[in-house]
Amino acid sequence: MNILIATSEVTPFSKTGGLADVCGALPGALKKLGHTPVVFTPGYRQVCEAGIELSSTNVTFEIPIGSKVVIGRLLKASMPESDVPIYVVDQPEYYDREELYRAEGEDYKDNCERFTFFCRAVMESIRLLELPVDVIHCNDWQTGLIPAILRIEYQHARGYENIGTLMTIHNMAYQGQFWHWDMLLTGLDWKYFNWRQMEFWGNLNLMKTGLVFADAISTVSPRYAHEIQTQPLGCGLEGVLQQRREFLFGIINGVDYSIWSPEVDPYLAANYSVDNWEEGKAACKQALQRRLGLPEEPNTPVIGLVGRLADQKGWDLVAGVMKRWVNSQPVQWAILGTGEAAYHEALKALAKERPDRVGVQLEFSNPLAHQIEAGSDIFLMPSLYEPCGLNQLYSLKYGTVPVVRETGGLADSITDASDENLSNGIANGFTFEPYDADVLELTLRRACDVYLSRRDTWNTIVETGMRQDWSWEASAQRYVDVYKQVCQQRVVAVEGAEAAQ
Ligand code: ADP
């Protein structure tokens, strides 16, 4: 099957979160299953500076955006490891910027325009490259216009008739909402600006657009697929999803173990596997403590956190527990993140108060993210919601026991160390349900107690997690099943339209 994956970020070219990891790994997994994926992504500064050679394709675009015509060109590279072709939409005015979506705490004002251009460039490239495409796999609001443009403008164009679309939701809270006049930028008729299609409470909503026009919808875990059909996690689009539930699938993300495995990770002080993890982790823990300026104490539990400093990730609960614990509980905190200023300040203050217990780096650092995964004993993810979450899956492989809130993909992947689950040999972490600092504190205490005084049980939990297989193979096959269903639907739709003529 020929699969075009359109994405606004992709590892190792550009990344702000899990979307990049997914789009970096899924193409290779699809190729291994015998399919032919290609990836399209914008030519951000990060992409051009990733150290991977970009070659020219001779394809240029002249795309109408509102009342102007914007010129761009298409470059090409290969995804490292898998060799899957990646096409890069080059338009320096839109993409040659410091960050992907925002600067100094504010979204770029022309985001609608930037991603409209990207979507139209993808659609034109199919024709200009004569690319065979069965399915376009769109990801998040940045690509939400593609299913609409395909159905409205390209439906009957040669080479496009049978193309199906899948829209994947990586995070429902980011919907690409813009004021209504941005409708002019999309080039689509105002008649589509209605509450059943592109409009949402007076605004243009590009996530909704994708959900309405795509042949099928998926999201990144079965639990989240349920959660977004209700308030509050549907973020206002729960009704749209309920209506389309027959075509809504939950497929958990996989892990790229060529990047996220302690056996091969180049950033670690020592590589290790389930057979020698105790020595390996001890070396990584010591290196992490040294790097973060924490005392090198082998038996003090290290609690790691890596992620965007956004409300979603439960930082208010974390800050609450840290304030209570920092002078009372002998644990160390290893924290990496960037985001909202209030959390930066709170974490900086805690690190200043107890530099011997709190190690914080407020930046984006891929090597340190790997080192925290390996060097911590516990990995904390008390998210308010979590579509899939990748860090808990990485933690399992690194022998770092996840403590998570039961939501979305966290609930689908982590099994609490209750007596029953332990005796069934399936416990791989600690979980709690109410979004509450007291409950988080109790759960963390439970984890620390097992670590400190029931070492055999702890080791069993670690090894259960390390032995699990969350690789892409099974998830990629699920995507293929959905792609097939999408194609089948398209064939039926096209045959139906022809019969009606
Ligand atoms: P989300 O996509 O909601 O941000 P995920 O858990 O799905 O969360 O994916 C987050 C990814 O981004 C992980 O690979 C994580 O290691 C990485 N990441 C997040 N923040 C940072 C940071 N400050 N430095 C390095 N990597 C980070």
Side-chain angles (χ1 to χ4, degrees):
M1 215 183 276
N2 296 299
I3 304 139
L4 187 163
I5 298 172
T7 179
S8 63
E9 47 188 278
V10 51
T11 307
F13 296 89
S14 55
K15 172 166 173 175
T16 69
L19 168 64
D21 290 1
V22 173
C23 290
L26 177 61
L30 292 170
K31 188 173 167 185
K32 272 198 198 138
L33 292 175
H35 300 281
T36 312
V38 297
V39 178
F40 276 75
T41 202
Y44 308 112
R45 188 176 301 168
Q46 287 89 331
V47 174
C48 301
E49 291 175 354
I52 297 165
E53 197 186 321
L54 297 171
S55 55
S56 134
T57 62
N58 297 325
V59 168
T60 54
F61 319 102
E62 289 187 10
I63 292 180
I65 298 284
S67 55
K68 55 186 179 184
V69 172
V70 181
I71 293 169
R73 63 178 181 151
L74 197 64
L75 304 174
K76 189 179 176 186
S78 288
M79 308 268 293
E81 310 271 335
S82 66
D83 226 21
V84 168
I86 174 161
Y87 290 99
V88 173
V89 174
D90 185 41
Q91 212 304 323
E93 273 174 50
Y94 288 148
Y95 307 128
D96 184 14
R97 300 185 187 178
E98 193 67 31
E99 299 287 335
L100 271 52
Y101 313 122
R102 54 197 341 239
E104 285 155 20
E106 277 201 43
D107 288 349
Y108 292 130
K109 300 256 181 299
D110 57 352
N111 270 347
C112 183
E113 183 171 337
R114 298 169 75 222
F115 290 102
T116 298
F117 182 85
F118 175 64
C119 292
R120 287 199 168 274
V122 171
M123 294 308 296
E124 276 299 280
S125 300
I126 295 173
R127 178 175 68 82
L128 295 166
L129 293 168
E130 296 182 18
L131 262 186
V133 178
D134 297 308
V135 180
I136 306 180
H137 183 167
C138 303
N139 293 280
D140 276 349
W141 69 263
Q142 292 87 345
T143 54
L145 273 177
I146 290 177
I149 295 172
L150 177 66
R151 287 293 153 255
I152 294 167
E153 295 182 7
Y154 287 79
Q155 173 107 6
H156 301 296
R158 211 165 58 92
Y160 292 83
E161 306 94 324
N162 289 319
I163 298 179
T165 49
L166 171 67
M167 177 80 196
T168 296
I169 304 162
H170 294 263
N171 194 331
M172 199 61 180
Y174 299 87
Q175 297 186 359
Q177 296 212 57
F178 303 97
W179 76 325
H180 61 285
W181 288 115
D182 277 0
M183 189 67 194
L184 291 171
L185 300 172
T186 68
L188 299 176
D189 195 287
W190 278 105
K191 75 179 180 193
Y192 299 105
F193 191 75
N194 66 73
W195 70 274
R196 286 184 179 280
Q197 293 177 305
M198 299 175 74
E199 185 250 2
F200 183 72
W201 298 104
N203 284 326
L204 170 63
N205 184 318
L206 298 184
M207 175 72 96
K208 178 174 175 177
T209 303
L211 299 179
V212 168
F213 283 92
D215 294 304
I217 300 165
S218 73
T219 188
V220 288
S221 69
R223 174 74 73 108
Y224 194 59
H226 278 105
E227 289 170 340
I228 55 179
Q229 292 181 56
T230 56
Q231 282 181 342
L233 297 190
C235 303
L237 294 182
E238 54 277 357
V240 177
L241 292 167
Q242 281 162 24
Q243 272 187 343
R244 302 220 59 203
R245 64 180 174 276
E246 205 187 325
F247 302 100
L248 170 62
F249 305 91
I251 305 176
I252 194 137
N253 289 333
V255 176
D256 186 341
Y257 288 130
S258 70
I259 297 175
W260 289 98
S261 163
E263 293 177 37
V264 296
D265 195 324
Y267 299 117
L268 306 189
N271 289 112
Y272 59 92
S273 71
V274 69
D275 298 324
N276 62 350
W277 67 271
E278 285 182 88
E279 306 94 84
K281 271 189 87 65
C284 292
K285 180 168 174 173
Q286 188 184 33
L288 178 66
Q289 288 169 322
R290 195 172 303 155
R291 167 143 191 204
L292 294 176
L294 298 166
E296 292 170 32
E297 300 166 354
N299 294 318
T300 300
V302 174
I303 303 173
L305 291 101
V306 177
R308 291 179 293 114
L309 298 178
D311 293 341
Q312 174 203 338
K313 300 289 178 184
W315 288 103
D316 49 343
L317 299 192
V318 176
V321 174
M322 284 179 80
K323 272 185 205 136
R324 289 181 210 172
W325 277 26
V326 81
N327 287 312
S328 64
Q329 299 292 324
V331 301
Q332 295 178 347
W333 301 83
I335 300 181
L336 170 66
T338 58
E340 287 168 32
Y343 295 127
H344 278 233
E345 294 314 314
L347 290 168
K348 264 198 257 174
L350 284 160
K352 197 166 165 210
E353 189 182 339
R354 287 302 297 253
D356 57 328
R357 293 216 170 135
V358 181
V360 173
Q361 294 284 321
L362 300 171
E363 57 174 338
F364 196 95
S365 164
N366 189 43
L368 186 54
H370 286 249
Q371 288 152 3
I372 291 179
E373 286 290 359
S376 305
D377 301 296
I378 293 170
F379 198 93
L380 183 55
M381 292 181 77
S383 305
L384 182 59
Y385 69 92
E386 195 61 73
C388 176
L390 289 168
N391 282 318
Q392 85 281 12
L393 300 178
Y394 302 155
S395 300
L396 292 173
K397 192 44 117 197
Y398 284 76
T400 304
V401 175
V403 172
V404 307
R405 187 165 166 262
E406 286 163 31
T407 180
L410 298 175
D412 285 336
S413 55
I414 304 304
T415 307
D416 185 62
S418 65
D419 290 341
E420 191 186 345
N421 289 334
L422 280 168
S423 58
N424 288 333
I426 55 173
N428 63 0
F430 294 81
T431 72
F432 66 100
E433 210 277 311
Y435 189 79
D436 183 293
D438 291 340
V439 185
L440 167 60
E441 185 177 355
L442 277 176
T443 314
L444 260 184
R445 200 181 290 278
R446 203 153 56 89
C448 290
D449 286 348
V450 177
Y451 174 83
L452 291 168
S453 49
R454 290 167 60 198
R455 208 37 93 91
D456 285 351
T457 304
W458 184 264
N459 292 356
T460 305
I461 299 170
V462 167
E463 289 173 18
T464 301
M466 290 187 85
R467 289 209 166 87
Q468 287 180 335
D469 179 4
W470 293 95
S471 61
W472 265 104
E473 217 175 356
S475 300
Q477 185 54 54
R478 287 275 293 128
Y479 274 107
V480 170
D481 295 342
V482 174
Y483 298 149
K484 281 188 182 150
Q485 189 169 334
V486 163
C487 291
Q488 191 54 39
Q489 264 164 253
R490 283 309 305 153
V491 171
V492 172
V494 171
E495 281 172 0
E498 279 166 3
Q501 276 170 10

Tab-separated table of all heavy atoms in Angstrom, residues 37-80:
chain	number	residue	atom	x	y	z
A	37	PRO	N	5.700	3.737	2.396
A	37	PRO	CA	5.355	5.053	2.949
A	37	PRO	C	6.248	6.166	2.393
A	37	PRO	O	7.390	5.912	1.995
A	37	PRO	CB	5.629	4.866	4.444
A	37	PRO	CG	6.662	3.792	4.515
A	37	PRO	CD	6.588	2.967	3.268
A	38	VAL	N	5.702	7.390	2.337
A	38	VAL	CA	6.516	8.597	2.142
A	38	VAL	C	6.038	9.605	3.181
A	38	VAL	O	4.885	9.565	3.593
A	38	VAL	CB	6.404	9.219	0.735
A	38	VAL	CG1	6.905	8.286	-0.333
A	38	VAL	CG2	4.974	9.658	0.429
A	39	VAL	N	6.945	10.487	3.577
A	39	VAL	CA	6.607	11.460	4.626
A	39	VAL	C	6.714	12.864	4.045
A	39	VAL	O	7.613	13.135	3.238
A	39	VAL	CB	7.586	11.310	5.819
A	39	VAL	CG1	7.292	12.335	6.911
A	39	VAL	CG2	7.508	9.898	6.392
A	40	PHE	N	5.795	13.749	4.422
A	40	PHE	CA	5.882	15.165	4.060
A	40	PHE	C	5.937	15.983	5.345
A	40	PHE	O	5.156	15.743	6.270
A	40	PHE	CB	4.652	15.610	3.251
A	40	PHE	CG	4.777	15.310	1.784
A	40	PHE	CD1	4.633	14.020	1.311
A	40	PHE	CD2	5.045	16.332	0.885
A	40	PHE	CE1	4.755	13.737	-0.045
A	40	PHE	CE2	5.170	16.065	-0.474
A	40	PHE	CZ	5.027	14.766	-0.936
A	41	THR	N	6.832	16.973	5.370
A	41	THR	CA	6.944	17.815	6.562
A	41	THR	C	7.411	19.209	6.160
A	41	THR	O	8.048	19.360	5.109
A	41	THR	CB	7.918	17.144	7.587
A	41	THR	OG1	7.657	17.649	8.876
A	41	THR	CG2	9.364	17.359	7.218
A	42	PRO	N	7.108	20.245	6.940
A	42	PRO	CA	7.584	21.587	6.594
A	42	PRO	C	9.088	21.734	6.783
A	42	PRO	O	9.680	21.096	7.655
A	42	PRO	CB	6.833	22.500	7.587
A	42	PRO	CG	5.699	21.692	8.104
A	42	PRO	CD	6.170	20.275	8.098
A	43	GLY	N	9.702	22.606	5.994
A	43	GLY	CA	11.155	22.804	6.054
A	43	GLY	C	11.563	23.823	7.101
A	43	GLY	O	12.130	24.866	6.780
A	44	TYR	N	11.304	23.505	8.360
A	44	TYR	CA	11.714	24.418	9.436
A	44	TYR	C	13.233	24.551	9.454
A	44	TYR	O	13.956	23.716	8.919
A	44	TYR	CB	11.322	23.856	10.814
A	44	TYR	CG	9.908	23.433	10.986
A	44	TYR	CD1	9.599	22.080	11.143
A	44	TYR	CD2	8.868	24.355	11.015
A	44	TYR	CE1	8.299	21.670	11.336
A	44	TYR	CE2	7.562	23.946	11.209
A	44	TYR	CZ	7.286	22.600	11.366
A	44	TYR	OH	6.007	22.194	11.547
A	45	ARG	N	13.693	25.568	10.203
A	45	ARG	CA	15.140	25.735	10.364
A	45	ARG	C	15.765	24.453	10.941
A	45	ARG	O	16.823	24.012	10.505
A	45	ARG	CB	15.406	26.922	11.299
A	45	ARG	CG	16.861	27.301	11.372
A	45	ARG	CD	17.057	28.533	12.227
A	45	ARG	NE	16.309	29.682	11.713
A	45	ARG	CZ	16.131	30.814	12.399
A	45	ARG	NH1	16.659	30.940	13.599
A	45	ARG	NH2	15.450	31.812	11.878
A	46	GLN	N	15.073	23.827	11.919
A	46	GLN	CA	15.602	22.597	12.540
A	46	GLN	C	15.814	21.495	11.503
A	46	GLN	O	16.759	20.720	11.591
A	46	GLN	CB	14.629	22.036	13.596
A	46	GLN	CG	14.573	22.823	14.873
A	46	GLN	CD	13.518	23.925	14.804
A	46	GLN	OE1	13.228	24.438	13.720
A	46	GLN	NE2	12.972	24.307	15.913
A	47	VAL	N	14.907	21.426	10.532
A	47	VAL	CA	15.005	20.377	9.508
A	47	VAL	C	16.247	20.622	8.654
A	47	VAL	O	17.026	19.709	8.361
A	47	VAL	CB	13.733	20.366	8.631
A	47	VAL	CG1	13.875	19.382	7.486
A	47	VAL	CG2	12.510	20.045	9.475
A	48	CYS	N	16.442	21.900	8.295
A	48	CYS	CA	17.578	22.229	7.429
A	48	CYS	C	18.899	22.077	8.178
A	48	CYS	O	19.940	21.849	7.572
A	48	CYS	CB	17.423	23.649	6.888
A	48	CYS	SG	15.882	23.829	5.955
A	49	GLU	N	18.837	22.203	9.531
A	49	GLU	CA	20.072	22.125	10.317
A	49	GLU	C	20.270	20.757	10.968
A	49	GLU	O	21.123	20.604	11.836
A	49	GLU	CB	20.060	23.230	11.395
A	49	GLU	CG	20.189	24.616	10.795
A	49	GLU	CD	20.051	25.737	11.818
A	49	GLU	OE1	19.738	25.428	12.984
A	49	GLU	OE2	20.254	26.896	11.435
A	50	ALA	N	19.450	19.784	10.588
A	50	ALA	CA	19.519	18.471	11.259
A	50	ALA	C	20.750	17.661	10.851
A	50	ALA	O	21.010	16.598	11.408
A	50	ALA	CB	18.255	17.665	10.987
A	51	GLY	N	21.498	18.175	9.868
A	51	GLY	CA	22.705	17.469	9.450
A	51	GLY	C	22.405	16.327	8.484
A	51	GLY	O	23.248	15.464	8.252
A	52	ILE	N	21.206	16.310	7.939
A	52	ILE	CA	20.841	15.274	6.967
A	52	ILE	C	20.687	15.956	5.613
A	52	ILE	O	20.032	17.009	5.504
A	52	ILE	CB	19.544	14.568	7.393
A	52	ILE	CG1	19.772	13.849	8.724
A	52	ILE	CG2	19.074	13.583	6.315
A	52	ILE	CD1	18.546	13.420	9.441
A	53	GLU	N	21.316	15.376	4.598
A	53	GLU	CA	21.368	16.050	3.303
A	53	GLU	C	19.991	16.168	2.657
A	53	GLU	O	19.244	15.196	2.550
A	53	GLU	CB	22.300	15.268	2.375
A	53	GLU	CG	22.731	16.105	1.195
A	53	GLU	CD	23.541	15.285	0.208
A	53	GLU	OE1	24.355	14.453	0.666
A	53	GLU	OE2	23.309	15.477	-1.001
A	54	LEU	N	19.665	17.386	2.221
A	54	LEU	CA	18.402	17.622	1.512
A	54	LEU	C	18.749	17.864	0.053
A	54	LEU	O	19.580	18.710	-0.261
A	54	LEU	CB	17.700	18.867	2.071
A	54	LEU	CG	17.261	18.825	3.536
A	54	LEU	CD1	16.784	20.191	3.994
A	54	LEU	CD2	16.149	17.798	3.721
A	55	SER	N	18.094	17.125	-0.851
A	55	SER	CA	18.378	17.362	-2.267
A	55	SER	C	17.173	18.012	-2.933
A	55	SER	O	16.060	17.977	-2.412
A	55	SER	CB	18.748	16.051	-2.957
A	55	SER	OG	17.720	15.123	-2.735
A	56	SER	N	17.426	18.580	-4.108
A	56	SER	CA	16.348	19.286	-4.801
A	56	SER	C	15.472	18.273	-5.554
A	56	SER	O	15.912	17.164	-5.874
A	56	SER	CB	16.992	20.310	-5.722
A	56	SER	OG	16.403	20.264	-6.965
A	57	THR	N	14.230	18.637	-5.856
A	57	THR	CA	13.350	17.730	-6.610
A	57	THR	C	12.895	18.346	-7.929
A	57	THR	O	12.142	17.719	-8.668
A	57	THR	CB	12.050	17.431	-5.832
A	57	THR	OG1	11.359	18.662	-5.645
A	57	THR	CG2	12.295	16.756	-4.522
A	58	ASN	N	13.255	19.598	-8.172
A	58	ASN	CA	12.750	20.362	-9.325
A	58	ASN	C	11.269	20.689	-9.221
A	58	ASN	O	10.700	21.212	-10.163
A	58	ASN	CB	12.996	19.630	-10.656
A	58	ASN	CG	14.475	19.478	-10.909
A	58	ASN	OD1	15.246	20.373	-10.540
A	58	ASN	ND2	14.866	18.357	-11.486
A	59	VAL	N	10.633	20.333	-8.095
A	59	VAL	CA	9.214	20.687	-7.946
A	59	VAL	C	9.123	22.029	-7.223
A	59	VAL	O	9.715	22.218	-6.156
A	59	VAL	CB	8.461	19.607	-7.130
A	59	VAL	CG1	7.082	20.100	-6.715
A	59	VAL	CG2	8.343	18.334	-7.933
A	60	THR	N	8.398	22.963	-7.843
A	60	THR	CA	8.125	24.241	-7.174
A	60	THR	C	6.614	24.450	-7.151
A	60	THR	O	5.885	23.883	-7.971
A	60	THR	CB	8.785	25.425	-7.907
A	60	THR	OG1	8.357	25.374	-9.263
A	60	THR	CG2	10.285	25.390	-7.830
A	61	PHE	N	6.158	25.250	-6.223
A	61	PHE	CA	4.716	25.514	-6.116
A	61	PHE	C	4.457	27.009	-6.248
A	61	PHE	O	5.273	27.825	-5.826
A	61	PHE	CB	4.164	25.142	-4.740
A	61	PHE	CG	4.685	23.892	-4.157
A	61	PHE	CD1	5.663	23.916	-3.163
A	61	PHE	CD2	4.178	22.667	-4.555
A	61	PHE	CE1	6.126	22.766	-2.592
A	61	PHE	CE2	4.633	21.500	-3.978
A	61	PHE	CZ	5.603	21.550	-3.002
A	62	GLU	N	3.272	27.313	-6.778
A	62	GLU	CA	2.755	28.687	-6.696
A	62	GLU	C	1.368	28.521	-6.120
A	62	GLU	O	0.439	28.107	-6.813
A	62	GLU	CB	2.684	29.326	-8.077
A	62	GLU	CG	4.043	29.640	-8.622
A	62	GLU	CD	3.978	30.433	-9.917
A	62	GLU	OE1	2.871	30.891	-10.287
A	62	GLU	OE2	5.029	30.565	-10.545
A	63	ILE	N	1.246	28.807	-4.849
A	63	ILE	CA	0.002	28.453	-4.161
A	63	ILE	C	-0.767	29.703	-3.768
A	63	ILE	O	-0.210	30.588	-3.092
A	63	ILE	CB	0.325	27.569	-2.943
A	63	ILE	CG1	0.851	26.234	-3.469
A	63	ILE	CG2	-0.898	27.367	-2.054
A	63	ILE	CD1	1.214	25.225	-2.456
A	64	PRO	N	-2.030	29.804	-4.197
A	64	PRO	CA	-2.822	30.959	-3.777
A	64	PRO	C	-3.155	30.861	-2.288
A	64	PRO	O	-3.650	29.836	-1.827
A	64	PRO	CB	-4.104	30.850	-4.613
A	64	PRO	CG	-4.011	29.591	-5.385
A	64	PRO	CD	-2.776	28.857	-5.023
A	65	ILE	N	-2.802	31.899	-1.575
A	65	ILE	CA	-3.125	31.967	-0.144
A	65	ILE	C	-3.845	33.296	0.042
A	65	ILE	O	-3.214	34.355	-0.006
A	65	ILE	CB	-1.850	31.924	0.729
A	65	ILE	CG1	-1.087	30.618	0.537
A	65	ILE	CG2	-2.178	32.169	2.199
A	65	ILE	CD1	-1.660	29.398	1.222
A	66	GLY	N	-5.135	33.283	0.226
A	66	GLY	CA	-5.902	34.531	0.271
A	66	GLY	C	-5.748	35.259	-1.054
A	66	GLY	O	-5.900	34.660	-2.128
A	67	SER	N	-5.327	36.529	-0.974
A	67	SER	CA	-5.247	37.308	-2.216
A	67	SER	C	-3.858	37.263	-2.842
A	67	SER	O	-3.604	37.902	-3.850
A	67	SER	CB	-5.644	38.756	-1.918
A	67	SER	OG	-4.812	39.215	-0.877
A	68	LYS	N	-2.918	36.526	-2.241
A	68	LYS	CA	-1.567	36.487	-2.834
A	68	LYS	C	-1.220	35.088	-3.346
A	68	LYS	O	-1.945	34.121	-3.073
A	68	LYS	CB	-0.524	36.962	-1.824
A	68	LYS	CG	-0.550	36.200	-0.534
A	68	LYS	CD	0.412	36.798	0.488
A	68	LYS	CE	0.325	35.993	1.769
A	68	LYS	NZ	1.091	36.466	2.876
A	69	VAL	N	-0.116	35.037	-4.071
A	69	VAL	CA	0.365	33.733	-4.522
A	69	VAL	C	1.717	33.506	-3.852
A	69	VAL	O	2.610	34.357	-3.940
A	69	VAL	CB	0.513	33.699	-6.058
A	69	VAL	CG1	1.187	32.408	-6.495
A	69	VAL	CG2	-0.854	33.832	-6.715
A	70	VAL	N	1.854	32.393	-3.156
A	70	VAL	CA	3.088	32.139	-2.404
A	70	VAL	C	3.882	31.037	-3.108
A	70	VAL	O	3.331	29.992	-3.484
A	70	VAL	CB	2.774	31.728	-0.950
A	70	VAL	CG1	4.054	31.475	-0.164
A	70	VAL	CG2	1.937	32.808	-0.269
A	71	ILE	N	5.162	31.320	-3.233
A	71	ILE	CA	6.028	30.386	-3.966
A	71	ILE	C	6.806	29.516	-2.967
A	71	ILE	O	7.226	30.004	-1.912
A	71	ILE	CB	7.012	31.187	-4.849
A	71	ILE	CG1	6.188	31.895	-5.928
A	71	ILE	CG2	8.066	30.294	-5.485
A	71	ILE	CD1	6.947	32.906	-6.710
A	72	GLY	N	6.964	28.258	-3.296
A	72	GLY	CA	7.763	27.371	-2.448
A	72	GLY	C	8.376	26.287	-3.308
A	72	GLY	O	8.117	26.218	-4.520
A	73	ARG	N	9.186	25.460	-2.693
A	73	ARG	CA	9.772	24.351	-3.463
A	73	ARG	C	9.843	23.112	-2.589
A	73	ARG	O	9.728	23.192	-1.350
A	73	ARG	CB	11.144	24.723	-4.020
A	73	ARG	CG	12.117	24.995	-2.929
A	73	ARG	CD	13.505	25.314	-3.434
A	73	ARG	NE	14.351	25.522	-2.266
A	73	ARG	CZ	15.635	25.296	-2.205
A	73	ARG	NH1	16.298	24.876	-3.263
A	73	ARG	NH2	16.315	25.504	-1.090
A	74	LEU	N	10.058	21.993	-3.248
A	74	LEU	CA	10.070	20.718	-2.533
A	74	LEU	C	11.491	20.164	-2.507
A	74	LEU	O	12.145	20.087	-3.549
A	74	LEU	CB	9.134	19.746	-3.254
A	74	LEU	CG	8.701	18.526	-2.458
A	74	LEU	CD1	7.868	18.928	-1.243
A	74	LEU	CD2	7.875	17.584	-3.344
A	75	LEU	N	11.939	19.794	-1.326
A	75	LEU	CA	13.241	19.150	-1.183
A	75	LEU	C	13.024	17.711	-0.749
A	75	LEU	O	11.922	17.348	-0.328
A	75	LEU	CB	14.072	19.895	-0.128
A	75	LEU	CG	14.272	21.392	-0.376
A	75	LEU	CD1	14.987	22.039	0.805
A	75	LEU	CD2	15.049	21.625	-1.674
A	76	LYS	N	14.072	16.941	-0.815
A	76	LYS	CA	13.904	15.515	-0.493
A	76	LYS	C	15.080	14.997	0.323
A	76	LYS	O	16.215	15.434	0.114
A	76	LYS	CB	13.801	14.725	-1.803
A	76	LYS	CG	13.418	13.289	-1.602
A	76	LYS	CD	13.296	12.563	-2.936
A	76	LYS	CE	13.011	11.104	-2.673
A	76	LYS	NZ	13.011	10.281	-3.863
A	77	ALA	N	14.794	14.110	1.247
A	77	ALA	CA	15.854	13.439	2.006
A	77	ALA	C	15.386	12.019	2.281
A	77	ALA	O	14.321	11.602	1.803
A	77	ALA	CB	16.115	14.177	3.310
A	78	SER	N	16.188	11.297	3.053
A	78	SER	CA	15.781	9.944	3.458
A	78	SER	C	15.737	9.894	4.969
A	78	SER	O	16.574	10.490	5.638
A	78	SER	CB	16.807	8.909	3.014
A	78	SER	OG	16.727	8.762	1.639
A	79	MET	N	14.773	9.138	5.486
A	79	MET	CA	14.730	8.956	6.929
A	79	MET	C	15.915	8.055	7.303
A	79	MET	O	16.079	6.984	6.705
A	79	MET	CB	13.438	8.248	7.348
A	79	MET	CG	12.186	8.888	6.817
A	79	MET	SD	11.472	10.082	7.924
A	79	MET	CE	10.942	9.067	9.262
A	80	PRO	N	16.721	8.466	8.296
A	80	PRO	CA	17.839	7.600	8.702
A	80	PRO	C	17.293	6.236	9.140
A	80	PRO	O	16.153	6.153	9.572
A	80	PRO	CB	18.448	8.337	9.898
A	80	PRO	CG	17.784	9.657	9.974
A	80	PRO	CD	16.561	9.641	9.141
